[in-house]
Structure formats: C-alpha cells, structure tokens
C-alpha cells in the first residue's frame, strides 16, 4: 500500500486557489506553494469511505494513478510533485498546465496545415511511446486529456494528463477492463478481451481522424451504434470532410484502425511513418499541400465543449437531488467535489461504465 504524506496538511504548505477543471472523480485547483510562490495544480480526490458507498473513488485506484505518475518523467507527460492524504481526501500536487486543451488551441486558429498538426502529433507519440516503453497504457486518451503547457510559446508543448485509468502491465499479465470513452475505444475493449498498450494507439487514430476532418470516425446516433461501428470497423474517409487531407495522413490512420492488436502500428513505428517523418521530396510536398478541415473542426469542438458543460450541469443537478434525499447540508464547494466523484458504482457492469463515461465526454 502506497504511503502518502499524512504528516502535513496540504493547506499548510499550499494556498488553494481557483478551480481549473473537474472530472468524474476529482476537482483540480490552482495551488500556490507557500515557501516558493510557485504555482501547481492540486487534484482533490474524495476517497470512498466504505466499499458499499457510491460516493468517491477507491483508495487503491488513487494509489494506482500515483504509482503510474511516479514512474513517468517525460516532457510530454504531466509531472507529479507530491501527494497528501487526509481522512477523506487525497490531493495530488501536479505540474500546472496552463495552456488549455490542444483542441481548443487549434479551434482558435484560422487555418492549420498538416505539417503544423504533425508537430503536435509527434509530441503525443513521444509521450505515449515513453509510457508504453514502461509497459504503461493510458487507456483514456481523448482530446480532453491532451493539453498544452503554454499556448503562447512559439512551439507549445503537449502534456498528456489524467492517468486515472492507466495500467502498468506485469510480465505475462492478462489484463481486461471495459472502461474508457466509447468514441475512442478499440474493439478489444468492447469485446472484453485481454488488453495491451495498443489500446492507446487506436485512440490516437480517432484523435487524428477528428483533428484532420472535424468528424468522429465511429460516432453513431446512439452509444450502441457507435460501439457496433467500432466492432465492424465501419468508417470512411469521405470526400466532403477529407478533401484537403494527404494520402499519407489517411494511411497513418488506417495503420491505427487495425483490429489485430499485433498488427496495429505502435507509437515507435508511428514516429517513423512517412506522414510524421517524410523521407522523400514528394512526401514532403504531399504533406505541405494538405491542411485540416478547419470549418468542420471548429464546429466539432464547439459541440464537444457544449456537451461537456451540459454534462457538468447534469451531474450537479443529480447530486443536488441526492443531497436533498440525504438531507445533508455540506457547503457548496464540497458539493461540487462529491458531484464529480459520484459517478462510479462498485457493482457496476462494465458495459454501463462505458455508457457513463460516454455521457460525460463524447
Ligand atoms: P475523468 O472524468 O476524465 O476521469 P478526472 O476526474 O480523473 O477526469 P482529470 O481529467 O485529471 O480528472 O482533471 C479534470 C480537469 O482538470 C481536466 O480536464 C483539466 O481541465 C484540469 N486539469 C487536470 N490536471 C491539470 C493540470 N495539471 N493543470 C491544469 N489543469 C488540469
């Protein structure tokens, strides 16, 4: 069992500031280190008090996230500085990532060439390749978890966040798990088959497809339709959305949307794919002429952000109802934290867990 810092109170060492973001299980706030004045991000996780409780997250899940982060020191991966624990809460002190989400940064631009998009893809591949080299799968790669350290820098740096679903593989281990966000998960997750780090590569294929076209490859009208489309590998590069896309970009995506996990491109191979690393003049020209479908991408991102806000309000309303039933009177701030952590159920079936995650971020 991991031992966190229980001797000191996080507030003795850090001044707690504004809310930066919230997820299912956590609220993230800016925190200022009192001794140095340096700003960090504090991820506040409510710990489930007993196994039967629906509130909060299991301590062992937090331990897993901490252990993963402790072994990942890479420029494209969010760093962990410290961990505090009180009776009801664990606080991760993390590198502050102030540039926002990559997709929001791109959506603000008038246009973007494929070459510019590739600079970001390269960094994502480097971060993902590093974790895969340590036998760690992220298992929740999606636009919300790809951020920028400083969007005003000439070459903004990618930072991969949220290792809440990450898993480190032991030699010979068979690991099955049915979590993730439907739009981004591969067939082996839906089929509850043994998983590997190749799961992340499929998700990267989905992210790349969206980035280039502003459409989601497998998205159906319902969750079930989305999952069926994934299983049937039902996607296409339609002319309407891919008219400005290079053939190499499509090839890159095709090599990621491969059902056989042993045949799916790895992060290391991806870094040497001609779309990322062109070898001939023709390949360079092919790439330079291509651009991303900005009009559609902006539409996709606006819809994505709207859905995220809608789901946050939905979660809070749900909590309020729960609070009324429980007749408790916790302060508003506390209420919000519980709202994000009251999303998982111990006895929940894998398929319903997928749906819950879909409802909040797809
Ligand atoms: P999920 O619901 O996806 O499982 P979670 O509860 O594990 O999420 P995170 O995704 O880690 O929480 O964080 C929630 C939000 O807080 C993020 O989407 C992001 O906006 C913000 N955030 C997380 N980490 C940082 C950081 N280090 N710096 C700045 N903002 C952050």
């Amino acid at each position: 069992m991991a031992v966190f810092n229980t001797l000191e109170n996080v507030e003795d060492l850090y001044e707690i500031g504004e809310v930066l973001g919230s997820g299912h299980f956590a609220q993230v706030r800016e925190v200022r280190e009192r001794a140095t004045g340096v700003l960090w991000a504090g991820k506040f996780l409510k710990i489930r008090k007993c196994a039967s409780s629906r509130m909060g997250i299991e301590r062992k899940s937090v331990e897993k996230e901490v252990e993963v982060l402790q072994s990942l020191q890479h420029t494209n991966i969010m760093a962990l500085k410290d961990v505090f624990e009180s009776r009801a809460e664990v606080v991760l002190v993390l590198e502050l990532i102030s540039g926002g989400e990559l997709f929001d940064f791109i959506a603000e631009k008038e246009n973007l060439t494929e070459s510019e998009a590739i600079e970001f893809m390269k960094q994502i591949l480097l971060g993902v390749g590093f974790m895969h080299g340590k036998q760690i799968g992220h298992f929740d790669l999606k636009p919300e978890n790809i951020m920028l350290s400083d969007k005003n820098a000439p070459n903004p740096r990618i930072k991969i966040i949220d290792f809440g679903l990450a898993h480190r593989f032991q030699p010979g281990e068979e690991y099955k798990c049915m979590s993730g966000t439907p739009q981004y998960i591969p067939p082996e997750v839906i089929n509850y088959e043994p998983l590997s780090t190749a799961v992340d590569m499929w998700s990267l294929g989905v992210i790349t497809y969206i980035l280039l076209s502003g459409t989601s490859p497998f998205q159906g009208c319902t969750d079930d339709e989305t999952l069926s489309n994934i299983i049937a590998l039902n996607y296409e590069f339609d002319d309407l959305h891919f008219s400005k896309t290079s053939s190499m970009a499509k090839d890159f995506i095709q090599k990621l949307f491969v059902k056989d996990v042993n045949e799916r491109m790895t992060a290391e191979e991806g870094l040497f794919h001609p779309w990322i690393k062109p070898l001939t003049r023709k390949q360079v020209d092919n790439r330079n002429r291509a651009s991303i479908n900005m009009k559609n991408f902006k539409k996709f991102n606006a819809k994505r952000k709207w859905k995220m806000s809608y789901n946050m309000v939905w979660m809070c309303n749900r909590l309020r109802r729960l609070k009324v039933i429980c007749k408790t009177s916790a302060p508003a701030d506390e209420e919000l934290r519980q709202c994000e952590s009251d999303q998982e159920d111990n006895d929940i079936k894998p398929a319903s867990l997928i749906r819950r995650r879909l409802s909040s971020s797809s």
Side-chain angles (χ1 to χ4, degrees), residues 208-257:
T208 312
Y209 185 105
I210 298 172
L211 179 61
L212 297 173
S213 67
T215 56
S216 189
F218 304 104
Q219 184 74 68
C221 296
T222 61
D223 301 355
D224 286 345
E225 214 179 285
T226 303
L227 301 180
S228 308
N229 286 339
I230 295 168
I231 302 269
L233 209 62
N234 185 14
Y235 77 100
E236 57 178 355
F237 296 112
D238 60 293
D239 291 342
L240 183 66
H241 299 111
F242 286 89
S243 59
K244 299 174 187 162
T245 310
S246 70
S247 51
M248 288 189 306
K250 291 180 199 166
D251 184 76
F252 180 85
I253 292 169
Q254 272 164 344
K255 290 195 158 66
L256 294 170
F257 290 160

Side-chain angles (χ1 to χ4, degrees), residues 14-17 29-33 38-42 44 93:
Y14 297 87
E15 193 184 314
I16 315 295
R29 288 171 161 260
E30 188 175 273
V31 297
R32 183 186 295 274
E33 195 174 2
V38 174
L39 293 173
W40 301 89
F44 294 78
V93 179

Side-chain angles (χ1 to χ4, degrees), residues 91-134:
V91 185
L92 314 189
V93 179
L94 302 157
E95 171 185 10
L96 177 67
I97 301 164
S98 50
E101 292 172 19
L102 169 69
F103 270 31
D104 292 340
F105 172 78
I106 291 176
E108 280 170 18
K109 292 183 171 285
E110 278 314 304
N111 41 54
L112 192 82
T113 62
E114 271 191 18
S115 303
E116 288 169 303
I118 286 162
E119 287 312 308
F120 293 121
M121 285 309 303
K122 217 186 281 177
Q123 293 186 58
I124 298 172
L125 285 169
L126 285 168
V128 170
F130 180 81
M131 65 177 104
H132 289 182
K134 303 230 167 220

Side-chain angles (χ1 to χ4, degrees), residues 49-89:
K49 290 192 188 83
C50 58
S52 59
S53 166
R54 294 179 50 166
M55 295 286 204
I57 182 168
E58 275 182 75
R59 192 184 188 278
K60 73 172 189 302
S61 304
V62 182
E63 280 174 26
K64 199 173 169 189
E65 182 171 354
V66 167
E67 278 162 13
V68 162
L69 280 168
Q70 277 169 340
S71 56
L72 291 175
Q73 276 108 40
H74 187 272
T75 179
N76 298 120
I77 296 174
M78 171 188 73
L80 173 72
K81 179 182 189 282
D82 213 342
V83 187
F84 291 84
E85 181 176 23
S86 66
R87 210 172 52 85
E89 201 171 51

